[in-house]
Amino acid sequence: MMTVFSSLARRQEGFAAVETILALPIVLAMALGTLSSGSLLLTKSQLNRAVSEAAQYASANPQRSDAQIREIVLDSYHGSDALAATAIDVSRGGAPGDARYIEVEAKVRTRLPTVLFRAPGITLVSRKKAFIG
């Protein structure tokens, strides 16, 4: 009778290893997904801040050229390799007598940092309108 229980005890020792092996890919996928999402949110936050700073600068200095406003976005954005793919548009609007505004829009094409596969690129867009006057 004792040999039956001891053989059962020996067989259950491997269950923890099997459960760990089965659960490990799921836990790793969740951890990597969290890191990828965090990286994407950081990039979007940096882009929003850069566009906001440029729009604020443009509203305080409306005589500045579009190239100077684009330079503010590029100086304020601290992205990594996505900086080369940044498209920055500056538009001005408003009729005389109406509220005039400057709108700054920036687009960044970036990739999710994945380990197991190559993710498609994602385009992040940030737009801010600042009124002059």
Side-chain angles (χ1 to χ4, degrees), residues 4 6 19 37-39 42 47 60 68 71 92 94 99 108 114 119 128:
V4 173
S6 64
E19 289 172 355
S37 298
S39 174
L42 177 65
L47 182 64
Q68 289 172 322
E71 197 63 36
R92 300 167 190 262
V108 173
T114 56
K128 181 77 173 179

Side-chain angles (χ1 to χ4, degrees), residues 36-101:
S36 295
S37 298
S39 174
L40 190 65
L41 287 173
L42 177 65
T43 302
K44 177 68 173 170
S45 175
Q46 289 174 340
L47 182 64
N48 284 342
R49 184 183 49 76
V51 169
S52 182
E53 284 181 15
Q56 183 179 9
Y57 175 81
S59 69
N61 303 294
Q63 72 281 5
R64 298 294 184 188
S65 69
D66 292 355
Q68 289 172 322
I69 295 169
R70 283 188 195 95
E71 197 63 36
I72 296 294
V73 174
L74 292 175
D75 288 344
S76 299
Y77 180 67
H78 300 293
S80 56
D81 59 345
L83 186 58
T86 303
I88 303 167
D89 297 320
V90 178
S91 60
R92 300 167 190 262
D98 289 341
R100 295 182 324 151
Y101 65 88

Side-chain angles (χ1 to χ4, degrees), residues 95-112:
D98 289 341
R100 295 182 324 151
Y101 65 88
I102 295 177
E103 185 173 22
V104 180
E105 178 182 289
K107 297 178 185 177
V108 173
R109 182 110 173 124
T110 186
R111 291 191 179 276
L112 285 175

